[in-house]
Amino acid sequence: MSSNRPDASENPLWEGLTNRPLPQPCTLVIFGATGDLTHRKLIPALYNLYSDGNLPPALTVVGFARREKSDDQFRAELKEASLKFSRQTITEELWDHFASCIHYHQSEFATPSGYTSLAKKLDEWDSQRGTRGNRIFYLAVAPDQFEVVLKNLKTSGLNNTNPESWTRVIVEKPFGTDLASARRLNTLVQGAFPESGTYRIDHYLGKETAQNIMVLRFANALFESAWNARYIHHIQITASELLGVEGRAGYYDHAGALRDMVQNHLLQLLCLTAMEPPVDLEADSIRDEKVKVLRSLRPITGKDVSAHVLRAQYGAGSINGKRVVAYRDEQGVQPESKTETFVALHVNIDNWRWAGVPFFIRVGKRLPKPGTEIAVHFKNVPQVLFNKTTEVLDENVLVIRIQPDEGVSLRMSAKLPGSSVRIEPVKMDFHYGTSFGKATPEAYERLLMDAMSGDATLFARRDEVEEAWKFIDSIREYWDHSGEEPAVYSAGTWGPSEADHLIRTFGTKWRRL
Ligand code: BG6
C-alpha cells in the first residue's frame, strides 16, 4: 500500500500523526462482517486509516459471516456503506486499491469446518502478502455468538501463535450483562487468548477528547494543582443524545441506559477524570489507576438507590420540531417495559483526593441536544470582597467537551468595562477544529490502529470491566426487586423533574448543554 500520511511540512502540528510507526503487516478477520458495525464503523475507519497512510503496507481484511456472497459483492456493499459513513471522501482509485485487500469468507459461526477452511486461506494469504501469521480476530457479533466463535477459534487452533507472530482478539461491547456474565465471558476469552492479547472495546476511550483528559490534567500544572476536594465543588458528566432506540429495541430493551452507557462509557470518563497520575504511560500503569477509582466508588445499595439514582423513560414528545413516539411505542419494545432511557446518578469516590466531592452522571436518549461533556465546577471564592454583600459570583467551570465541537472551555469572572465594579462570567474557549486545523479521527480509527500496533491502553482490562459491573449490579438488583416504575419525561426535554430534584438536594443544578 502506498503512503498517504499527512505532510508535516504543511502543518507542524501534524507531526504527531506522522511519526507513529506503522503497525506490522497483519490479517484482520471480522466476525459479523455483514452487520451494522462493520458497515458503519469498521470499514470506514480502515479506509480513513488507509487514506491517511496509517495502515501497514501489507494488510488483509477478511469478513466472516453467514450469508453467501462473493468478494466482489462484499466489496461493493462496503463501498456503498463507506460512501455514506466515511469522514473522508471516497475516491475510486484509492478505494479500489484499498478494497483489493478485502475478502469474504462464508460460514456459520458454529460450523467447525468454516474455521479450518479459514485457517487454510489465512496461511495462503500470509505467504502471498507477507502478513507473517499476525492475526486479529474481531468479534463484531451479537454477544450470544461470542462463545461459539471463541470455542471454534480455539478448537481450530486459530488462536495459536507461533513465537514468530502474534494473535489478538477484539471483543465488542456489551461485555456481559452483569458481573457474573462478564466473569464467564472473561474466562471464556482467556481460555483462548491471553489477557495481553485481549482488546475489549469501549469506543469512548478512542475519542480524541477522552484521550485529551489525561493531557489536560497531567501536562498542565495549572489544572492538576487544583484537581481535588480542596478546590472542586462537584463534577457533572453528561451524555445526551437526540436519538431514540433506533431499531435496536431487541438489545436495548434488555439493557437500558445504565448497562448500555453508564457501566462502560460514563464510568470510563469518570475514571479518566478522577484517577491519580500513573507512574508512566504504559497500558497497565494507566489501567491500574482507573481500577483504583472503580474500587473507590461508594457502593449504592438497597434503599439508597432511590436517593442517589434516578431512572426514567421517554414518553412521546418532539425532537427538532418533529413528533416522536414514546419509548414503549417504539417497534420491538415491550408495551409494559420498565427499561430506562435516562439515568441520573450521584456518585461518591471514597479516596483522599475526592472525599466529599459529589460526582453527578446524567445520560439519556431523546434529550433536546446531543453532547457529551465533563464539567468541573470549582468552589466559589470566599465571600469577603466582591461578593461580600449582594453580588453572587458564578463559580469557575472547566468544561471538557467530548463531542460534538470537541474542545475545552473555562468560565471565569471578569470586570465589565466601566467606572463601577460589575462582574460578569466570561469564557475562554479552545476548539480542536480551529486550533489544529485537522479533522478529528473517528474513535474506531484510533482503536483499530492501536490493536494492530499492540497498544492496549485504550481498551478495558478484565478487572476494570468486572469492577464496573460490581458497582452497577447493586443498582440494577434494587430496581429489579423494588417494583418501582421509572419516571417519565417527554422526548425533547432534559429529563424528568425528579432528576432536577436529585441534584438540588446537593445544592446545585444540572448544567445546560
Ligand atoms: C453505544 C450505545 O455504545 O454508544 C448506544 O450502545 C449509544 O446506545 C452510543 O447511542 C453512543 O455513542 P456515541 O459515540 O454516538 O456517543
Side-chain angles (χ1 to χ4, degrees):
M1 284 184 178
S2 58
S3 176
N4 303 303
R5 308 197 107 190
D7 184 356
S9 63
E10 270 179 51
N11 182 345
L13 291 170
W14 297 352
E15 187 78 40
L17 292 172
T18 58
N19 61 13
R20 182 174 174 171
L22 289 177
Q24 290 174 350
C26 60
T27 302
L28 172 67
V29 182
I30 305 173
F31 289 91
T34 50
D36 215 39
L37 183 73
T38 309
H39 285 80
R40 278 174 184 267
K41 299 286 182 191
L42 303 184
I43 296 295
L46 286 168
Y47 176 81
N48 289 328
L49 284 171
Y50 173 62
S51 143
D52 286 342
N54 286 326
L55 286 185
L59 173 77
T60 306
V61 178
V62 184
F64 185 119
R66 292 178 269 222
R67 287 175 223 158
E68 283 287 354
K69 64 183 79 202
S70 65
D71 282 357
D72 282 343
Q73 272 173 314
F74 184 49
R75 288 171 188 163
E77 285 170 13
L78 297 180
K79 182 175 180 185
E80 205 183 307
S82 300
L83 282 165
K84 252 202 240 156
F85 300 117
S86 164
R87 72 178 167 83
Q88 306 208 34
T89 320
I90 306 284
T91 63
E92 290 294 322
E93 200 191 335
L94 217 54
W95 173 267
D96 288 347
H97 202 252
F98 164 69
S100 64
C101 76
I102 303 179
H103 297 275
Y104 187 73
H105 182 76
Q106 187 279 327
S107 170
E108 292 293 326
F109 296 132
T111 309
S113 60
Y115 294 75
T116 33
S117 54
L118 173 69
K120 246 177 90 193
K121 284 192 196 165
L122 292 181
D123 288 342
E124 279 166 27
W125 287 319
D126 274 341
S127 51
Q128 283 164 18
R129 296 240 167 86
T131 37
R132 307 179 200 158
N134 296 331
R135 286 162 196 173
I136 306 185
F137 297 103
Y138 197 126
L139 305 194
V141 291
D144 57 359
Q145 304 289 336
F146 285 164
E147 181 164 357
V148 73
V149 175
L150 286 164
K151 281 192 171 152
N152 276 298
L153 282 173
K154 192 172 171 183
T155 330
S156 61
L158 277 167
N159 64 330
N160 276 343
T161 42
N162 66 53
E164 312 288 301
S165 59
W166 45 258
T167 307
R168 301 178 185 140
V169 66
I170 303 181
V171 189
E172 256 302 328
K173 68 165 283 223
F175 203 89
T177 52
D178 56 14
L179 177 60
S181 58
R183 278 191 176 142
R184 269 198 307 279
L185 181 54
N186 273 325
T187 308
L188 201 70
V189 175
Q190 294 191 338
F193 295 91
E195 177 63 31
S196 61
T198 304
Y199 292 72
R200 296 174 192 79
I201 291 265
D202 185 317
H203 77 279
Y204 267 54
L205 292 177
K207 290 182 190 278
E208 195 61 38
T209 345
Q211 295 163 48
N212 197 34
I213 300 172
M214 270 181 58
V215 176
L216 186 82
R217 290 189 51 197
F218 304 131
N220 293 292
L222 185 62
F223 299 124
E224 192 48 24
S225 52
W227 211 259
N228 54 53
R230 182 156 177 215
Y231 296 104
I232 292 179
H233 182 267
H234 74 275
I235 295 184
Q236 296 187 19
I237 306 182
T238 300
S240 154
E241 291 184 273
L242 278 180
L243 297 177
V245 68
E246 309 300 309
R248 295 164 72 223
Y251 150 74
Y252 195 87
D253 208 30
H254 295 288
L258 189 69
R259 287 190 177 112
D260 183 51
M261 292 288 288
V262 181
Q263 185 273 342
N264 37 60
H265 310 324
L266 277 293
L267 286 184
Q268 283 290 347
L269 294 182
L270 175 98
C271 286
L272 291 169
T273 309
M275 71 190 221
E276 296 301 315
V279 289
D280 56 35
L281 294 175
E282 292 301 313
D284 276 334
S285 310
I286 295 173
R287 298 191 292 182
D288 286 346
E289 296 307 330
K290 288 199 287 164
V291 169
K292 284 191 212 158
V293 175
L294 293 168
R295 290 179 51 205
S296 311
L297 291 178
R298 187 181 305 166
I300 309 178
T301 56
K303 284 222 153 42
D304 278 353
V305 173
S306 312
H308 298 272
V309 191
L310 186 275
R311 65 171 164 162
Q313 193 184 76
Y314 62 81
S318 84
I319 295 279
N320 288 338
K322 266 179 66 188
R323 292 299 296 166
V324 293
V325 298
Y327 175 74
R328 287 183 181 179
D329 294 328
E330 299 270 15
Q331 205 181 359
V333 170
Q334 297 296 318
E336 303 286 296
S337 172
K338 285 188 180 179
T339 300
E340 75 287 357
T341 57
F342 176 100
V343 197
L345 295 100
H346 160 239
V347 176
N348 284 294
I349 301 177
D350 285 333
N351 66 16
W352 193 272
R353 184 190 284 259
W354 296 116
V357 179
F359 283 70
F360 299 100
I361 294 178
R362 171 179 53 157
V363 53
K365 291 197 184 287
R366 287 279 190 242
L367 300 188
K369 199 175 161 192
T372 304
E373 63 163 46
I374 299 162
V376 181
H377 292 246
F378 288 87
K379 288 184 175 164
N380 226 323
V381 290
Q383 287 182 281
V384 289
L385 295 175
F386 301 113
N387 53 350
K388 187 174 179 182
T389 50
T390 51
E391 180 112 34
V392 179
L393 294 181
D394 289 293
E395 75 274 19
N396 293 144
V397 183
L398 180 77
V399 179
I400 304 171
R401 292 187 302 275
I402 305 292
Q403 61 187 20
D405 184 21
E406 294 86 346
V408 181
S409 72
L410 178 62
R411 182 175 81 182
M412 53 195 189
S413 293
K415 180 183 167 301
L416 211 64
S419 50
S420 62
V421 178
R422 276 194 53 204
I423 298 173
E424 288 290 323
V426 291
K427 227 182 189 188
M428 283 204 310
D429 216 345
F430 146 66
H431 300 258
Y432 268 77
T434 45
S435 297
F436 294 131
K438 185 102 184 84
T440 327
E442 287 278 336
Y444 276 92
E445 294 175 37
R446 177 62 196 266
L447 295 174
L448 282 165
M449 172 113 169
D450 282 3
M452 286 188 258
S453 308
D455 182 351
T457 311
L458 302 179
F459 295 84
R461 202 169 59 187
R462 175 177 187 148
D463 48 354
E464 274 178 84
V465 172
E466 292 183 4
E467 287 295 339
W469 276 123
K470 219 183 271 175
F471 178 72
I472 294 298
D473 274 5
S474 61
I475 300 173
R476 274 241 65 97
E477 270 156 28
Y478 177 77
W479 286 349
D480 291 345
H481 294 113
S482 71
E484 285 169 21
E485 287 281 325
V488 176
Y489 61 103
S490 301
T493 64
W494 283 108
S497 55
E498 289 89 333
D500 299 332
H501 179 72
L502 182 136
I503 197 165
R504 242 195 333 265
T505 55
F506 297 93
T508 186
K509 56 182 194 227
W510 296 109
R511 243 180 68 79
R512 269 291 152 93
L513 261 60

